[in-house]
Amino acid sequence: MCDRNMKKAILTGGSRGIGLAIIKALLADGYEVWYLSRTPISEEIAGTAHHLSCDVMDRMAFEKALKTATEEAGEISLLVNDAGITRDGLIMRMKDADWDDVLKVNLTSVFLSCRALSRQFLRQRYGVIINIASVVGIVGNPGQANYAASKAGIIGLSKSLAKEFASRNIRVNCIAPGFIDTSMTQKLNEEQKKSICDKIPLGYIGDAEQVAKAVRFLASADASYITGQVLAVDGGMTM
Ligand code: NDP
């Protein structure tokens, strides 16, 4: 039986943006974190965050890094899937690689990490999985068929696992951020940002810390009766 006070987390991505904010929030909550990304965090942070350099598109390297992280950590209580990319374009012009890469990074990596951790979580009879989806996976977005499909896939995958694992006290939830100020959205010009803000009831683009706070909640015992849910952190965009 897992010691439920054991605060050890594995996170994909995490080198910047939302994932970095999640790592900082988890460290502040007393977690020790192992994060898997191609590049390490480039700033000083307080707490213990171990970097395992890996491209989640490289299945063997990813599975090896997950194994290393679980061996180093021993018991794991939390898995957060944050790694994600966009390769936007209208479907008529979308290249096979744009589809394949987005599905591999955003969705297949979630399948692989959940599968890799499932045995341990089931044995422990405890575990929390939080997958970072997107509002786009709920409402769709022109020019993002690949991204929307990957994020909708994460939601279906998470709900299925929530049902598969519930009897073993393993909770699986998604967070669906709206527009959040990170390198992913910094490519937008001022006009695009204004038009986005017009569609957000709260009227502004969110920040990564606001998403991290939702992760912190879902990871905590305060969320012990919540599984199979998609929590939108989107300023009201999808209500
Ligand atoms: P960033 O581009 O700032 O960060 C993306 C993270 O994913 C980085 O840590 C990056 O690490 C990691 N990553 C990307 N590709 C790979 C790969 N092949 N292997 C390993 N790690 C990888 O984006 P955000 O912080 O904005 O996005 C984080 C998550 O939130 C994503 O899943 C995204 O889809 C989702 N999201 C973001 C929204 C937003 O508005 N920003 C809205 C809705 C959802 P590295 O490059 O070092 O490998």
Side-chain angles (χ1 to χ4, degrees), residues 83 129 176 188:
I129 300 175
L188 300 168

Side-chain angles (χ1 to χ4, degrees), residues 10 12 19 25 29 46-47 51 60-62 64 82 92-93 113 115-116 139-140 151 154 175 196-197 211 216 222:
I10 294 183
T12 67
D29 266 356
H51 180 236
M60 273 172 67
F62 183 37
K64 191 163 169 248
D82 161 75
M92 230 169 36
R93 286 195 284 274
S113 65
R115 187 176 64 179
V139 297
K151 295 300 186 177
I154 287 181
I175 288 181
I196 287 165
C197 286
V211 179
R216 198 172 180 174
D222 290 342

Side-chain angles (χ1 to χ4, degrees), residues 187-199:
K187 311 166 201 162
L188 300 168
N189 63 37
E190 284 313 308
E191 197 185 326
Q192 288 169 314
K193 283 187 184 167
K194 176 160 185 324
S195 124
I196 287 165
C197 286
D198 289 344
K199 295 186 192 111

